[in-house]
Structure formats: C-alpha cells, structure tokens
Amino acid sequence: MNSAVAEIIYGLSFYACAGLAIFSALWVAFLSRQNPVRGALWLVVCFISVAGIYVLLKAPFLAMVQILVYAGAVMVLFVMIIMLLDLGKMEPGARGQAGIRFLGVIIGLLIMGILGITLAQAWKVGWKGFGEAEIGGSEKIGEVLFTKYLLPFEVLSLLLLVAVISAIYLARRWEEKK
Amino acid sequence: MRIGAEHFLILSVVLFSIGMLGVLVNRNLILILMNIELMLNAGNILLVSFARYLGDISGQVYAFLVMVVAACEVAVGLAIILALFRNKDTVDVERINILKW
C-alpha cells in the first residue's frame, strides 16, 4: 500500500473517531437530562471512540486500558449507582436559580473563548507533523513506569487503597445505635 | 488530508468545552460526574498526542496516572452521591444546600 492511500485511511479514521466522540459527548452533556442511563450509554460510546483516537496516536496499551477501566469498570459503577438510587424524573428547578445558571453558561463560554484564543496562538507555531518514532507498546511504557516514574506509581497504589476504604466507609448504611 | 498534532489539539479542546458546559448546565449530580470524566478524557488526549508529537513516552505514562486518579475519583464521588441520596432523597444540586446559610 502506498503512503498516500495510508494517509487517506488514517485521516478518515481520525474524522470518524473524532466525530463519534464529539457527537456522543454532546448527548452526554446536553441531551440526557431526563434519563441518566442514556447518558451512561452514550458515555461508553465516547470512551470507545477515544480509545480509537489512542490507537491512531500509536498508544495501544492506553487504548486497552481505556476500554478496560473506563468503558468497563467505571461505567459499570455508574450504571450500578443509577440502579441503586432509583431516580425519578428531575423536578423543575426553582425559579430563582435561573439567573445563576445563566451566569454559569456565560462563564463557561468565556473559558471556551480563552481556550480558543490559546489554540489560535498555538496554530501559529507551525506544526511539523508526527515523527516516525515508535513510542507506544506496553513493554516500553512498563519500562518507564517502573524506573523513572516508580514513586508516582507507588503513591497511586496507596491512593487506590485510600479510595477503596473511603468508598466503603461512605456508602455504608448507618444504623441507629440502641 | 494530513492529520497532525493540531487536529488532536482541536478535538481535545472541543471535548473539554463540551464537558465543562455540561458540568455548568446539568443539575443531576451523576451527570455532572460523567461530564467531569469527559473533561479528564480530553486532557488525556492532549497528553497522548504530545507524547506522539515529541516522541517522548512520558506523556503516555501521565495519561495512565490520570486514568487511575479518575477511577479513584469516580469511586469516592459515587459513594458520596449514594450517602447524600440516603440522607436527602435527591441528587439535584439545587436541592442540596445544607452547607448554605
């Protein structure tokens, strides 16, 4: 296969993954207010398309972890909690809050504008395209993780332990003492 | 159709903005947590694309660490939401105002 065809295939798969990610993110953010389960399912679609983006960026290990941890574990947790909570429909909000929400949207658009300006500045840099260096691979990432980044790795394992204990403690059912 | 780092940058910024507006607009605590996950993913895309652009694997390691932190955050956050629902019978952020005077 010559390089022009490969480039076109790469571009098409990038636009497919990116479009799907943005479309499903819009569903999660704005269109699933009535039904959180719908938001959870669209979030799975978003995570899988982000995994596709990681594959395009030559990070197959991260793509695998993304599907295992995010699309698997985290989403199961979300769906379980939605099941446990037994939510009814959201009641309409109090009238006095409308102004604050409007303010929130304005501030959000302002931050979006700042991000856009930053992006426009970054556009002038003159990107030179991706190099050909092979960097992905679980072997390489494990090598770096267990030598240069050993301390953060161990601290993170402690963080996981703390998170497990605190989640169990918080979600406990508190019985009244007699 | 040459795809470079700038395309991944735009994707990351767009996803981050969508997640941020979702956090500001939604009132359901579970949906707010989902949108925070969206923002973390956007940050991860940025880290991985710069790892590829600079040919340095550190970005991927950071993305991996961010994923672990995100998983912890979801576990603790959902436990808090569960405890809150048991006490207040709602996950609407406008009705949870026990810290306000």
Side-chain angles (χ1 to χ4, degrees):
Chain A
M1 191 167 24
N2 62 27
S3 64
V5 176
E7 205 165 76
I8 286 172
I9 291 174
Y10 188 84
L12 283 179
S13 33
F14 170 76
Y15 283 117
C17 284
L20 197 59
I22 290 171
F23 179 73
S24 51
L26 285 173
W27 267 93
V28 173
F30 303 119
L31 294 171
S32 50
R33 210 169 302 167
Q34 299 297 326
N35 191 352
V37 179
R38 189 183 287 167
L41 294 181
W42 276 113
L43 198 57
V44 174
V45 176
C46 186
F47 286 160
I48 292 175
S49 39
V50 171
I53 294 285
Y54 289 161
V55 171
L56 290 178
L57 285 168
K58 289 196 178 171
F61 175 72
L62 276 184
M64 195 187 70
V65 171
Q66 169 91 5
I67 288 180
L68 278 179
V69 173
Y70 271 120
V74 167
M75 292 323 296
V76 167
L77 207 58
F78 268 115
V79 175
M80 285 287 273
I81 292 294
I82 292 170
M83 181 195 77
L84 278 177
L85 291 191
D86 186 26
L87 299 172
K89 280 212 167 135
M90 294 285 283
E91 296 153 45
R95 219 164 237 290
Q97 308 283 356
I100 291 180
R101 287 183 69 201
F102 183 68
L103 196 67
V105 172
I106 294 288
I107 291 171
L109 290 176
L110 269 178
I111 298 175
M112 266 175 78
I114 292 170
L115 282 175
I117 291 168
T118 316
L119 203 63
Q121 294 287 328
W123 201 257
K124 294 175 190 157
V125 168
W127 300 90
K128 57 182 193 298
F130 290 134
E132 282 307 305
E134 282 291 335
I135 53 159
S138 46
E139 189 190 334
K140 189 82 184 295
I141 206 170
E143 201 183 302
V144 180
L145 196 57
F146 285 107
T147 52
K148 195 175 167 193
Y149 293 99
L150 185 61
L151 183 64
F153 183 77
E154 296 295 339
V155 171
L156 270 190
S157 65
L158 256 181
L159 179 68
L160 272 173
L161 180 69
V162 171
V164 167
I165 293 171
S166 60
I168 292 171
Y169 179 77
L170 281 169
R172 236 178 91 187
R173 191 178 288 281
W174 294 94
E175 305 282 334
E176 287 291 321
K177 268 189 187 152
K178 279 168 194 161
Chain B
M1 190 158 38
R2 195 186 60 83
I3 302 294
E6 62 267 35
H7 293 81
F8 290 96
L9 233 76
I10 291 175
L11 173 66
S12 167
V13 167
V14 168
L15 276 182
F16 189 87
S17 307
I18 291 172
M20 187 181 58
L21 278 181
V23 169
L24 292 171
V25 163
N26 276 307
R27 288 187 297 134
N28 190 333
L29 261 178
I30 298 177
L31 280 175
I32 288 177
L33 212 57
M34 286 183 195
N35 282 303
I36 291 174
E37 292 302 305
L38 219 60
M39 289 161 77
L40 282 166
N41 262 286
N44 269 350
I45 291 177
L46 200 70
L47 284 172
V48 178
S49 63
F50 272 110
R52 173 103 166 82
Y53 183 69
L54 300 173
D56 186 352
I57 201 156
S58 299
Q60 291 191 19
V61 176
Y62 280 123
F64 182 68
L65 303 183
V66 169
M67 276 181 193
V68 177
V69 174
C72 290
E73 173 240 316
V74 167
V76 177
L78 285 175
I80 290 174
I81 291 176
L82 196 62
L84 206 55
F85 187 77
R86 282 200 183 123
N87 285 319
K88 301 281 288 180
D89 273 332
T90 183
V91 288
D92 187 342
V93 286
E94 283 182 10
R95 281 170 208 285
I96 298 165
N97 48 12
I98 42 177
L99 276 181
K100 275 190 198 162
W101 50 276

